[in-house]
């Protein structure tokens, strides 16, 4: 009768007898009881500690190597990595230069100096004019994020050939402050300034430490014209507004586009400069002093001063640094002699 009523879903004879016995003994729940899970022998505290020690000893060790050394399965070993230790494998991040202790200390001193100046004069950044130069290409390769696209599960992954920048390029020089672009040029023609700041010489110049900016000839020219300079730590593009704000914002819309002539590059560059609003300049000048490493490409003044309290100043390091300073001073004296010989007539 049960087979006729329920067909293939009917319980067999042994299960019918088993359930009848359990109901006779007072059972009322018709759901199966949960089975007791066997405790894992691979994810014990002892195994987790061994895995952690192996990782700390060799950060590049693979999951397979750890599993083979500890005689556990790859799945259990991977679970210890991810779930128990909370680790994930990442690639090293490329930076312009690895700073030594003295360079970090110098960077921190300059950041503290700039913060103190802003605290003493809240309107200081309104008088700062910063600038730099960059190559604008006839075709600039798209970034990885720009070339990404959505695809369905059954569709193949898109491909693109390796591309290089062409020789068609023009050097763009831009100076700007918190209100917008002060001056830009492709060739030395035409100038626009801030008349109020220029008349009273109530402005400060900021640029990075590129060789073209630190030449003796440039330093003498700025000194003769009584130009006040904002300090810039060495090897710190994350503290230069041109590098972390203006040029990336200018070049990003131009990536992936082809420009046949220099005039087309200049026209497109000017159009992109005009699209940058005054509020964008104000925001990034404020970010220059307040925002940390999250969201902005690089650390700013506050982030530069955090986490650096003392450094290992070994005697050998101090002696090497003093020799470098002596060599640098001798080179500057030699440059000054050559400069005086050339321009004394």
């Amino acid at each position: 009768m049960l087979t006729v009523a329920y067909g293939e879903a009917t319980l067999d004879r042994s299960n019918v007898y088993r359930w009848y016995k359990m109901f006779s003994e007072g059972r009322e729940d018709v759901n199966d009881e949960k089975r007791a899970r066997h405790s894992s022998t691979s994810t014990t505290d002892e195994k987790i500690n061994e895995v952690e020690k192996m990782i700390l000893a060799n950060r590049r060790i693979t999951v397979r190597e750890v599993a083979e050394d500890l005689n556990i399965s790859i799945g259990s070993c991977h679970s210890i990595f991810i779930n128990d230790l909370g680790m994930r494998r990442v690639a090293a991040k490329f930076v312009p230069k690895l700073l030594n202790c003295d360079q970090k200390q110098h960077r921190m001193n300059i950041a503290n100096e700039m913060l103190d100046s802003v605290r003493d004069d809240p309107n200081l950044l309104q008088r700062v004019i910063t600038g730099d130069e960059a190559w604008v290409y006839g075709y600039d390769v798209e970034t990885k994020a720009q070339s990404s696209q959505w695809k369905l599960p059954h569709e193949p992954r898109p491909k693109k050939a390796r591309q290089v920048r062409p020789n068609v390029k023009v050097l763009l020089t831009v100076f700007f402050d918190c209100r917008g672009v002060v001056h830009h040029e492709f060739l030395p023609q035409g100038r626009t300034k801030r008349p109020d700041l220029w008349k009273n010489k109530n402005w400060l110049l900021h640029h990075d430490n590129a060789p073209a900016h630190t030449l003796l000839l440039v330093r003498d020219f700025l000194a003769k014209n009584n130009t006040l300079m904002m300090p810039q730590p060495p090897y710190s593009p994350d503290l230069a507004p041109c590098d972390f704000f203006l040029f990336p914002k200018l070049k990003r819309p131009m990536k992936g586009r082809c420009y046949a002539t220099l005039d087309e590059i200049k026209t497109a560059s000017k159009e992109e400069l005009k699209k940058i609003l005054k509020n964008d300049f104000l925001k990034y000048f404020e970010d220059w002093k307040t925002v940390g490493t999250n969201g902005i490409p690089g650390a700013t003044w506050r982030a530069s001063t955090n986490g650096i309290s003392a450094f290992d100043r070994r005697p050998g390091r101090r002696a090497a640094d003093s020799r470098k300073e002596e060599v640098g001073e001798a080179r500057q004296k030699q440059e000054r002699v050559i400069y005086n010989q050339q321009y004394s007539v």
Side-chain angles (χ1 to χ4, degrees):
M1 184 181 295
L2 292 175
T3 305
V4 175
Y6 296 101
E8 296 181 355
T10 305
L11 292 175
D12 56 19
R13 185 184 298 271
S14 61
N15 280 320
V16 171
Y17 287 149
R18 183 171 61 85
W19 280 102
Y20 174 78
K21 181 181 179 181
M22 289 189 291
F23 288 140
S24 300
E25 295 173 352
R27 180 186 176 110
E28 296 180 356
D29 188 8
V30 297
N31 296 318
D32 292 330
E33 294 180 351
K34 293 183 178 180
R35 296 183 178 180
R37 297 183 58 185
H38 295 286
S39 58
S40 176
T41 58
S42 300
T43 56
T44 60
D45 293 340
E46 182 181 356
K47 291 291 185 182
I48 294 174
N49 292 334
E50 291 180 0
V51 171
E52 186 176 11
K53 290 180 181 179
M54 294 181 66
I55 296 174
L56 295 179
N58 181 10
R59 294 286 183 147
R60 295 188 177 184
I61 195 170
T62 64
V63 176
R64 184 180 297 276
E65 290 173 346
V66 174
E68 291 177 354
D69 290 345
L70 299 181
N71 196 23
I72 59 178
S73 66
I74 294 179
S76 298
C77 186
H78 189 269
S79 177
I80 293 175
F81 273 65
I82 303 300
N83 300 326
D84 297 309
L85 298 178
M87 306 185 88
R88 62 190 183 97
R89 194 174 181 91
V90 296
K93 180 181 179 181
F94 283 102
V95 294
K97 185 179 179 63
L98 294 176
L99 303 183
N100 58 35
C101 293
D102 292 331
Q103 290 170 336
K104 290 179 181 179
Q105 183 66 54
H106 183 48
R107 174 186 170 97
M108 186 185 71
N109 294 338
I110 291 180
N112 280 324
E113 178 185 343
M114 297 172 76
L115 279 175
D116 293 338
S117 300
V118 172
R119 293 191 191 101
D120 297 337
D121 182 6
N123 298 322
L124 175 67
L125 291 184
Q126 297 181 8
R127 299 187 287 112
V128 174
I129 297 177
T130 181
D132 202 353
E133 59 280 334
W135 288 106
V136 184
Y137 294 88
Y139 178 80
D140 207 350
V141 182
E142 290 180 323
T143 63
K144 188 175 181 179
Q146 285 179 312
S147 61
S148 62
Q149 62 187 60
W150 297 101
K151 78 176 191 69
L152 296 173
H154 63 275
E155 294 178 333
R157 184 175 179 176
K159 300 178 181 179
K160 68 175 184 179
R162 184 179 297 274
Q163 298 169 320
V164 295
R165 291 168 174 168
N167 293 327
V168 181
K169 60 182 181 179
V170 61
L171 186 64
L172 171 64
T173 303
V174 182
F175 290 90
F176 66 97
D177 61 6
C178 64
R179 288 175 283 179
V181 176
V182 176
H183 174 68
H184 72 276
E185 68 178 23
F186 300 98
L187 294 174
Q189 58 183 8
R191 296 189 177 184
T192 57
K193 307 183 183 73
R194 294 279 184 259
D196 50 344
L197 298 179
W198 186 261
K199 181 178 179 180
N200 301 324
K201 291 190 177 297
N202 189 25
W203 62 284
L204 295 87
L205 177 64
H206 174 268
H207 54 207
D208 59 18
N209 296 316
H213 302 157
T214 56
L215 287 175
L216 178 62
L217 183 63
V218 176
R219 296 199 301 269
D220 285 347
F221 176 82
L222 295 176
K224 289 179 182 178
N225 290 274
N226 299 320
T227 303
L228 298 178
M229 298 292 299
M230 284 282 287
Q232 168 70 15
Y235 307 109
S236 301
D238 52 348
L239 294 180
C242 284
D243 292 324
F244 74 77
F245 160 59
L246 184 65
F247 290 147
K249 194 172 184 66
L250 168 69
K251 292 184 177 182
R252 184 177 179 84
M254 301 177 63
K255 290 182 180 293
R257 301 180 184 178
C258 293
Y259 304 97
T261 63
L262 296 181
D263 290 336
E264 292 182 5
I265 301 176
K266 295 177 182 179
T267 302
S269 301
K270 292 178 181 178
E271 291 178 355
E272 296 301 332
L273 279 177
K274 293 179 181 178
K275 292 180 182 179
I276 305 177
L277 304 178
K278 178 180 178 180
N279 291 336
D280 295 331
F281 288 97
L282 289 172
K283 175 182 179 299
Y284 275 91
F285 262 77
E286 196 63 26
D287 291 340
W288 191 14
K289 64 178 180 179
T290 59
V291 180
T293 56
N294 294 329
I296 300 297
T300 53
W301 304 349
R302 297 188 190 278
S304 299
T305 60
N306 292 335
I308 305 177
S309 57
F311 299 97
D312 180 18
R313 298 298 299 265
R314 292 170 292 179
R317 171 69 68 179
R318 290 197 296 268
D321 292 340
S322 62
R323 287 194 296 271
K324 290 181 181 179
E325 292 177 358
E326 293 175 359
V327 173
E329 292 176 358
R331 179 176 295 178
Q332 290 182 4
K333 291 180 181 179
Q334 185 179 4
E335 289 181 357
R336 189 175 294 278
V337 171
I338 296 175
Y339 172 76
N340 292 333
Q341 291 176 353
Q342 291 178 347
Y343 296 95
S344 60
V345 180

